[in-house]
Amino acid sequence: MKSCIPAKDKEEEEMNQEVPQNFIPPCQPRMSASHSAQSSYTNQRDSCPISWQPTFLPTRNSTPPETPTLPNAKLSEQHNWQALVTNVHERNAVMFNNSLMADVFFTVGLGLNQKKIPGHKFILGSGSSVFYAMLYGGLAEEVKIMEISIPDVEPAAFLNLLRFLYCDEVWIEADTVLATLYAAKKYIVPRLATACVVYLETSLSAKNACVLLSQGRLFEELELMQRCWEVIDAQAEESLTSEGFTDIDKRTLETILSRETLNTKELCVFNAVCRWAKAECVRQELSPTPQNQRRILGDCIHLIRFPAMSLEDFANGPAQSGVLTLQECHDLFLHFTAQLSPKLPFKKIGRKGLTQYRVHRFQSSAYRSNQWRYRGRCDSIQFSVDRRIFIAGFGLYGSSNATSEYKVKMELKRNGVIEGVQSTKFLSDGSSNTFPVMFESPVQIEPETFYTASVILEGKELSYFGQEGVAELLCGKVTFQFQCSSDSTNGTGVQGGQIPELIFYC
């Protein structure tokens, strides 16, 4: 199955050896080793993980094992490596992926990706109840050296599993994390599975949330599923238009379409469903005609809320798609235009979306007779939160002198990198109220990290500004911390100035 984002090419390969490959003499410097990171799951789409790639590649959770110069297999008996290791952990590490003293060999993967990987029954059986049953249970073969075929696990993931059992190391990369989670679940190694889930949660974004939701359902990882729902609800449009959305299974599609809190227009939902149906036709080797798309969708089509669309959106989109029958189009047009409309199999009420919160960081507002001057300068503030939220926009002050229009450029930055930007206009009415100015799509904010909110305003300079600001606020279940920003060149800080509100979902 294709990745949400193409994975990087890798020519690295972790080779089996018959000599202690991980042993490092005390005086020898550490050296890096190349390792396999290829991903190719089996074609059993509903039973195996989907490969994916986030927009960035986090570093490994642990350094790769070293590969010093060692004697060949014929001389391994004379190589006194046992005397140079100091503890059990190091001795086990020497045995990792090493055929020396191996009493079981696994043929892992399928096709060209297949590899033969050595193992040691004692170490495997002491680390996994599944391996114990396989190697020592009643069905275990009474042979000196066992050979076991494992076609449904990727070699790179299986090596990650063995590395954890032998060395107590977690080595996770973006293109092997799902396969490693699958292996950890299959062989009941909960600590490794937990590490994989934590990695996925930290890499979660709108581009991979739907794929990870599908995998969370497969692995029964409820916490991961909840994190995925937070992203999908708040950034519904980005999630539904992502490449990975077309790779989800039908059951996951149904749960998304049933979601009351999707924060997007219904036309976006319909377009995403059509993309998924076309992709599913290709997977089933069918021509992606509107008729085949409808047959593939089945009752899923009734989860789209066509009556909640505007007449214009419906007429220019779904009505001309061919996915709906002529009778359905006829009945829906009557719903939009006639006083008495026929009974429809679609929900008529739009989705509720998410509850919108506003954190107001000033206790009062005022204006000066000598005006608050902008002159192209930047008003900026830094903030952090204690849990993941999604900034939808800012609440801004307007003119204190009757109705006035402002031009505004807004930015959200993390470590100097722009995460969200918007250039638009808003109209103030002369009151001290704040006026919402929204980003095109909510921006995901990670906990315990400082972000910089900035605005550059152009308009009447007799403007309100905030006073008596606070450095820490609790809004709903989210704690905000504010601090001054070096980007602020127009007087805004924690105690007073502009950007009085952050509008967010959580």
Side-chain angles (χ1 to χ4, degrees):
M1 181 167 292
K2 64 181 182 179
S3 298
C4 292
I5 297 178
K8 63 179 181 180
D9 293 334
K10 292 181 182 285
E11 297 179 354
E12 307 172 310
E13 187 168 338
E14 192 161 11
M15 302 297 294
N16 300 333
Q17 298 183 17
E18 296 183 355
V19 292
Q21 81 175 59
N22 297 313
F23 164 68
I24 305 174
C27 61
Q28 188 167 346
R30 290 181 175 269
M31 301 173 60
S32 62
S34 297
H35 295 273
S36 173
Q38 296 181 355
S39 291
S40 59
Y41 249 77
T42 64
N43 292 327
Q44 299 174 358
R45 180 169 176 270
D46 291 327
S47 62
C48 297
I50 302 171
S51 178
W52 68 282
Q53 180 79 297
T55 55
F56 63 93
L57 292 178
T59 58
R60 297 184 177 100
N61 287 23
S62 62
T63 56
E66 297 78 3
T67 308
T69 302
L70 292 171
N72 59 34
K74 292 181 180 180
L75 298 177
S76 61
E77 292 183 7
Q78 286 75 38
H79 184 69
N80 188 20
W81 60 269
Q82 293 92 337
L84 298 177
V85 292
T86 59
N87 53 51
V88 173
H89 181 273
E90 289 182 2
R91 288 195 288 274
N92 284 349
V94 168
M95 292 296 100
F96 167 67
N97 196 25
N98 196 328
S99 60
L100 182 66
M101 295 187 288
D103 48 9
V104 58
F105 286 85
F106 300 94
T107 303
V108 185
L110 291 170
L112 297 176
N113 196 38
Q114 190 177 83
K115 287 186 179 181
K116 191 172 185 178
I117 299 175
H120 304 79
K121 291 193 288 186
F122 171 75
I123 295 176
L124 299 176
S126 63
S128 163
S129 60
V130 176
F131 278 129
Y132 178 83
M134 180 189 299
L135 303 173
Y136 293 99
L139 297 178
E141 298 178 11
E142 294 184 3
V143 294
K144 186 175 181 180
I145 297 180
M146 298 178 65
E147 294 190 5
I148 299 173
S149 177
I150 305 178
D152 62 325
V153 177
E154 293 181 10
F158 194 75
L159 286 171
N160 286 344
L161 174 67
L162 296 193
R163 182 181 291 106
F164 181 81
L165 296 178
Y166 278 76
C167 312
D168 201 29
E169 290 184 0
V170 176
W171 188 19
I172 304 173
E173 291 186 316
D175 48 1
T176 59
V177 59
L178 283 174
T180 303
L181 176 58
Y182 176 75
K185 286 282 189 176
K186 177 176 181 178
Y187 293 101
I188 312 180
V189 184
R191 282 181 56 212
L192 179 59
T194 299
C196 291
V197 171
V198 170
Y199 183 98
L200 290 172
E201 289 178 359
T202 58
S203 304
L204 182 61
S205 70
K207 293 184 178 180
N208 58 40
C210 292
V211 169
L212 294 186
L213 175 66
S214 179
Q215 297 306 300
R217 290 184 58 254
L218 174 64
F219 296 130
E220 298 181 346
E221 287 290 344
L222 299 182
E223 188 172 349
L224 176 60
M225 291 174 63
Q226 179 58 37
R227 296 288 184 270
C228 291
W229 279 126
E230 291 174 2
V231 174
I232 293 170
D233 283 341
Q235 297 178 304
E237 187 167 342
E238 286 186 66
S239 298
L240 296 180
T241 56
S242 68
E243 183 181 350
F245 179 80
T246 61
D247 289 331
I248 63 177
D249 60 276
K250 189 173 182 180
R251 177 58 186 149
T252 301
L253 175 69
E254 291 174 351
T255 61
I256 292 175
L257 296 183
S258 302
R259 193 76 172 171
E260 191 69 33
T261 47
L262 286 181
N263 209 36
T264 188
K265 292 183 178 180
E266 205 65 25
L267 181 61
C268 178
V269 176
F270 172 77
N271 290 335
V273 168
C274 289
R275 288 176 55 244
W276 181 89
K278 291 177 181 177
E280 186 65 17
C281 284
V282 173
R283 285 190 287 267
Q284 297 190 20
E285 298 182 351
L286 297 173
S287 176
T289 63
Q291 294 74 24
N292 283 337
Q293 291 178 47
R294 178 59 184 268
R295 183 166 64 83
I296 289 291
L297 288 170
D299 290 338
C300 283
I301 197 73
H302 296 142
L303 300 175
I304 303 174
R305 305 184 183 190
F306 295 104
M309 295 181 182
S310 68
L311 175 58
E312 181 180 2
D313 283 347
F314 176 76
N316 292 325
Q320 300 184 46
S321 67
V323 174
L324 294 172
T325 66
L326 290 176
Q327 185 62 49
E328 287 169 337
C329 287
H330 176 268
D331 291 346
L332 283 165
F333 273 120
L334 288 179
H335 165 79
F336 286 118
T337 58
Q339 290 184 349
L340 295 176
S341 61
K343 186 177 180 180
L344 297 172
F346 312 102
K347 283 190 176 182
K348 298 180 180 180
I349 301 175
R351 303 175 196 270
K352 293 180 181 179
L354 290 175
T355 301
Q356 194 177 91
Y357 295 89
R358 296 190 180 198
V359 56
H360 196 96
R361 63 189 193 91
F362 299 126
Q363 299 181 56
S364 64
S365 61
Y367 65 91
R368 294 193 182 105
S369 58
N370 63 350
Q371 304 178 348
W372 178 280
R373 298 181 182 275
Y374 297 119
R375 297 183 178 179
R377 293 186 292 240
C378 180
D379 289 289
S380 183
I381 191 72
Q382 284 192 318
F383 69 93
S384 70
V385 291
D386 61 348
R387 57 175 293 180
R388 177 184 283 133
I389 65 169
F390 302 86
I391 295 292
F394 303 154
L396 301 177
Y397 288 128
S399 171
S400 60
N401 185 17
T403 300
S404 181
E405 183 179 75
Y406 284 83
K407 292 182 180 179
V408 57
K409 180 180 180 180
M410 310 191 311
E411 286 184 349
L412 258 180
K413 293 189 292 187
R414 176 184 180 181
N415 297 327
V417 178
I418 296 177
E419 301 285 335
V421 65
Q422 175 69 292
S423 295
T424 186
K425 299 177 181 179
F426 73 94
L427 192 66
S428 65
D429 59 9
S431 71
S432 61
N433 296 330
T434 58
F435 302 92
V437 184
M438 314 300 281
F439 291 104
E440 289 187 6
S441 179
V443 180
Q444 181 171 312
I445 302 297
E446 297 297 335
E448 312 303 336
T449 301
F450 271 96
Y451 290 77
T452 303
S454 302
V455 296
I456 297 177
L457 289 161
E458 294 182 28
K460 286 188 176 180
E461 296 190 340
L462 192 59
S463 168
Y464 286 95
F465 61 93
Q467 297 183 129
E468 301 177 276
V470 293
E472 184 171 314
L473 276 172
L474 178 65
C475 183
K477 298 180 180 180
V478 185
T479 299
F480 286 81
Q481 290 186 342
F482 296 96
Q483 66 181 31
C484 294
S485 168
S486 59
D487 291 349
S488 188
T489 58
N490 199 40
T492 289
V494 174
Q495 297 299 320
Q498 300 297 327
I499 318 180
E501 285 183 340
L502 301 178
I503 305 169
F504 68 98
Y505 304 112
C506 65

